[in-house]
Structure formats: C-alpha cells, structure tokens
Amino acid sequence: MAAPFTSDFYKSIKDELFNNILPYWEKHARDTTSGNEGFFGAIDNDNNPDYKIQRSIVMTSRFLWTYSAVARLTKDARYLPMADFAYNTIITKYWDKENGGVYWSVLPDGTPKVSKKQIYGEAFCCYGLSEYAAALRELREGGESLPLAAAGQPSSATPSNGGNPAQLDSPRNAPLASEEAMNYALDIFNLLETHALDPEAGGYVEARDVNWSETNDMILSPKDMNCPKSMNTNLHVMEAYTNLYRTLPVVFADAKALRAEVGDTLASLVRVSVDKILQPNAHLGMFFDMEWKLLADEISYGHDIEASWLLWEAACELEDEELKSEIRDTVIRVAQVALDEGFDKENGCMENFLRDQGKVRDRTRVWWNQAEAVNGFYNAWEMTGDSKYSDACLKEWDWILNHQIDKKNGEWWNALDEKGQPILAEDKGGNWKTSYHNGRTCLELLRRSNNF
C-alpha cells in the first residue's frame, strides 16, 4: 500500500509529543505542596493552577498511562518519574484500603470527596497500572518476565483482606514494583468482574457504592445521564482490558490461564459493544437501561471514531481471527459514517454531537474529538488503504497544528467554537483534560509507523 504520509508528517507528530505535550504537563500539572502531592484539578489558559479544587482518579490514571507508555515506546526511563508520581498518588490517596478499588475523587489532602466506585474511573486506573507495571519491568527490572506463583493470583480485594494487592509466594521478601503494580491492576479486574459485570445482559454497570454494593448514584459527569449502563464506561473497560491482556506477559511469564480469563471477558465485551451498544445507524448509543434499551438519541462523533479503532485494537490484540472477521466491516462502517456525518470536511475537524432528533448540532471543536479523529482515520486507512481516510487524517492534523494548539501558552485549547476561536471558559487542563488523548494519538501513529 502506497503511504500518503510523509516523513515531515511523522516528524511533526514526534515534535508535538516530545516538545509540547509531554513537557507541558511535566511543568504545570503537578502539585508538590507538602500534604497535597498530586495533580491539579484545574489549570486555566494562562497555566495558573487551582490548588483547592478536587482531583479525579481519571486524571491521575491518564498521566500514569501516558508517561509509562512513552517510556516503554522510547525505552527511555527519563519519563518514569512522572509515572512514579502518579502511581504514588493513586496508592496513597485514591486506593480504598478497606474495600479495594479507588475513590472517584479526592480533596487535595487526599480526603475522599466522591468515594463511590465509578466503573469508568476504575477502568482507567487498571489501564494505567498495567502499563506502569510493564514499564517498570522493562526499564528498571531487567525486562525478563517473572514466575507467577499460586499466591500471586489477584485477590478479590474484599473488606476482609483490606483491598491490598496479593503478595507473591517467592524467595523475595517483597514483590518487585512491577508485580505490585500489576497486582493492583488485577485486583481492579477481579472487582469489576465480581461487582460490576452484568452476567445476564452483558457489559458493565456505571457505578457501585464505596463498598461495591448497588447505588442509585450512577452519573459519570454533569454532561451525562444517571443511567445503569453507558457506552462510555463500557468502551473504556474494553480499552483497559485490552491493555491488561497485552501487558500481563511482560510482567509474568506463566500467566497463560489468567491472561486467557482476561481475553475471554474482553472478547465478550467487544461483541456486546457491537451487538448492543452500536445502533443500526452505525453510531454508538450513549445511555442505556440494564437490558440495553437506548435511553437517549444523542450521537457523539468523537466516541464513534474512537470506538472504531479501539474495537479493532481489541480484536487484533486477542489475535482472534474469527472475532476480527465478525467486526471488520462494522469497524470500517463506523469510521465511514463518522467521516460522512461528523467531520467538517471544509475545515478539516471533527464536530461534537447531535441530539434531540437531529435538531441540536454542536459544532464545538473539542480537543479529544480531534485527537481521536486522527487515530480513527489513520486506523481506517491502515485497514482499507482508502485515500479518503488518509486525506481526512491529514486534514485533521493540519487543523490541530493551525488551530487546536495554543502556540503561546502550550498544549491544546480545550475547545474552539465553529469559527475556530478558543472558548476561554474551558480550562486548559484538569480532571478531564490531561496528556492522554492527544499524547496517545501521537504515540499510536509513531508506534504504527515505527517512527519513534
């Protein structure tokens, strides 16, 4: 397949990641105030942090994943201190030592603010922990995966065991750091399979109470519906399990059975996503009841294009040819419809959402939609060789370089209006906006093209 992407294109991707995104967050995201160690919950467009606002597990886990992933890709341990900072914050401030899992948000001093177990946040924590474990193994511990003793199977993290990660039965006095981090990730996996999985209708519920009992407080954010299940949560559980499946053998040499368990539940979730969440119009439904009845007609273009490549990534990681065959045409159709209906071809950017039976169209150019469009269209081009996808990818990247990046204060504008002007009421960084979406886009393209 003739590659439409030039060396200058990949150079600009690399430059954006290493000279803008990563150094920005290293400089501005961390609160090192004694007693408040963690990441700021809000950073304004002049790069001023809010020291008082609550902080989320999602933000912290996304930093953990990004800097671990960069360290692994580049084989450069200089990126690990940022990941170390995130990991220590999770274990000391977010980990629920009584019930297992992590709190949704904490105050700057680590006091739980919202203590419920929001499954979206648990998934991101599993995602970050598994990548960090692999980074530690490869960059600090020699790289050779280690035996997994019977006692090293993940605990259920019930109140009786204090929610602590399982200790390995080995000659060492204590598990290596990579084992400890991976066991935390596996504890979350076990907790989700025990308390959040719907064994009858499939998929995962939105939230549980602090002790993993049922709760009526399911809502993810003020922009979301208080409903039992959502596309967004299930999409990111799938993403987390894909990464857990990928990284387990990096840390443990004989985790075949455990990896098969993760793989089975991942394959099941891919099929639930295609059979229940995806709608006949090739858009992903957003909000559902327990039986997967759709509760709203909102279309999120960013989630559609993101899901197209995450579904394909999961099937490819599983090396399941039957599953790949089942979903291949669907994945391409989702990307095609996102291109046809959600992509502003004149300006080269992804729009936000459509709701109320098509009466309300939000043309805001949100940072993460743009990042996922680059990934999604690049993936569709790789799958098909069709130039319409590479053209869209290149146009989107051009939009980002010329409009989405804040050339004065660094990083990307959170959101631009349909005229391309920054919406200054939206913070530059914080509980939802980190190094994850745009950093991952750069990492994905550099990894796929072998240009890192």
Side-chain angles (χ1 to χ4, degrees):
M1 156 182 13
F5 299 100
T6 66
S7 59
D8 285 344
F9 169 76
Y10 293 114
K11 183 178 182 298
S12 69
I13 295 278
K14 192 172 183 178
D15 179 69
E16 177 59 21
L17 177 64
F18 293 105
N19 295 324
N20 183 23
I21 296 170
L22 297 175
Y24 176 87
W25 298 107
E26 287 174 304
K27 181 177 180 180
H28 296 291
R30 287 176 286 194
D31 181 0
T32 57
T33 307
S34 179
N36 283 7
E37 294 87 351
F39 296 94
F40 295 113
I43 304 170
D44 70 18
N45 288 290
D46 291 319
N47 300 335
N48 298 310
D50 185 331
Y51 283 82
K52 297 180 180 180
I53 194 170
Q54 67 190 58
R55 292 127 187 233
S56 75
I57 188 60
V58 171
M59 169 184 65
T60 310
S61 300
R62 286 174 170 181
F63 282 126
L64 178 62
W65 179 86
T66 302
Y67 286 87
S68 299
V70 172
R72 292 188 69 204
L73 184 71
T74 61
K75 296 179 172 56
D76 190 340
R78 289 179 298 174
Y79 294 101
L80 284 180
M82 187 76 162
D84 295 336
F85 187 85
Y87 178 71
N88 290 333
T89 300
I90 288 171
I91 300 309
T92 60
K93 295 187 181 298
Y94 290 92
W95 192 264
D96 182 345
K97 296 177 178 59
E98 180 179 355
N99 302 292
V102 286
Y103 304 122
W104 175 245
S105 65
V106 300
L107 297 174
D109 65 2
T111 303
K113 173 66 174 176
V114 178
S115 58
K116 67 175 176 175
K117 304 302 165 52
Q118 196 77 38
I119 306 308
Y120 183 101
E122 304 293 325
F124 267 105
C125 193
C126 179
Y127 182 57
L129 288 167
S130 61
E131 190 71 12
Y132 181 63
L136 293 177
R137 190 77 208 103
E138 292 172 340
L139 297 172
R140 286 187 180 158
E141 299 173 358
E144 183 178 348
S145 51
L146 299 166
L148 175 65
Q153 297 295 327
S155 69
S156 61
T158 56
S160 61
N161 70 17
N164 294 315
Q167 301 297 303
L168 297 185
D169 183 13
S170 76
R172 297 182 299 278
N173 291 327
L176 292 175
S178 63
E179 298 172 273
E180 179 185 73
M182 186 61 82
N183 275 318
Y184 276 117
L186 289 169
D187 273 345
I188 291 177
F189 170 77
N190 264 5
L191 286 161
L192 297 192
E193 295 307 292
T194 302
H195 300 292
L197 174 67
D198 179 349
E200 297 179 1
Y204 297 80
V205 298
E206 286 296 283
R208 291 297 188 221
D209 208 339
V210 63
N211 63 357
W212 295 96
S213 62
E214 293 186 8
T215 178
N216 292 323
D217 180 12
M218 309 285 256
I219 193 166
L220 177 63
S221 80
K223 297 179 180 180
D224 295 293
M225 179 181 288
N226 189 15
C227 62
K229 293 178 180 176
S230 77
M231 170 276 299
N232 206 4
T233 289
N234 281 273
L235 179 68
H236 292 293
V237 171
M238 182 180 72
E239 173 188 41
Y241 284 8
T242 301
N243 207 64
L244 181 61
Y245 183 85
R246 177 192 295 126
T247 54
L248 265 171
V250 176
V251 177
F252 298 127
D254 54 351
K256 185 177 181 180
L258 183 56
R259 192 168 184 247
E261 181 184 351
V262 175
D264 287 345
T265 194
L266 174 58
S268 176
L269 185 51
V270 169
R271 289 187 168 96
V272 165
S273 299
V274 171
D275 295 340
K276 305 293 185 182
I277 297 176
L278 187 66
Q279 301 299 298
N281 60 6
H283 295 292
L284 279 75
M286 293 288 288
F287 308 110
F288 299 88
D289 68 9
M290 285 297 292
E291 302 304 319
W292 294 109
K293 178 184 176 182
L294 190 63
L295 300 178
D297 68 351
E298 180 173 335
I299 292 169
S300 172
Y301 298 117
H303 283 113
D304 286 349
I305 194 63
E306 181 182 24
S308 71
W309 78 268
L310 287 178
L311 282 164
W312 191 242
E313 177 192 46
C316 290
E317 195 63 46
L318 288 168
E319 298 181 321
D320 186 331
E321 295 304 319
E322 181 180 350
L323 182 60
K324 288 167 68 176
S325 179
E326 284 179 33
I327 72 169
R328 187 180 190 280
D329 290 346
T330 297
V331 166
I332 295 169
R333 183 170 176 241
V334 171
Q336 179 63 56
V337 172
L339 175 61
D340 291 342
E341 299 180 16
F343 191 63
D344 179 344
K345 297 177 181 64
E346 180 180 353
N347 293 298
C349 53
M350 186 63 76
E351 300 192 343
N352 196 13
F353 63 74
L354 188 71
R355 62 168 61 132
D356 296 337
Q357 299 179 337
K359 296 176 183 178
V360 177
R361 186 177 186 88
D362 187 326
R363 300 181 184 275
T364 307
R365 286 73 164 99
V366 182
W367 98 96
W368 71 267
N369 291 342
Q370 314 317 311
E372 296 305 334
V374 174
N375 261 348
F377 293 138
Y378 191 94
N379 182 70
W381 167 74
E382 281 193 325
M383 292 179 69
T384 65
D386 196 320
S387 62
K388 63 187 174 186
Y389 298 120
S390 56
D391 288 347
C393 180
L394 289 166
K395 285 180 180 178
E396 179 64 71
W397 186 247
D398 187 64
W399 167 270
I400 290 168
L401 291 179
N402 289 295
H403 301 283
Q404 207 78 33
I405 294 171
D406 180 353
K407 295 179 176 62
K408 178 183 177 183
N409 289 326
E411 237 287 327
W412 297 15
W413 298 109
N414 188 313
L416 308 175
D417 64 24
E418 60 183 293
K419 295 181 180 179
Q421 295 302 306
I423 300 174
L424 298 178
E426 298 286 350
D427 284 331
K428 175 67 67 64
N431 283 321
W432 290 100
K433 186 173 182 294
T434 70
S435 56
Y436 157 72
H437 282 288
N438 51 5
R440 182 175 66 172
T441 289
C442 296
L443 281 167
E444 273 296 305
L445 268 63
L446 294 175
R447 180 187 63 80
R448 291 179 185 223
S449 63
N450 200 31
N451 273 281
F452 50 90

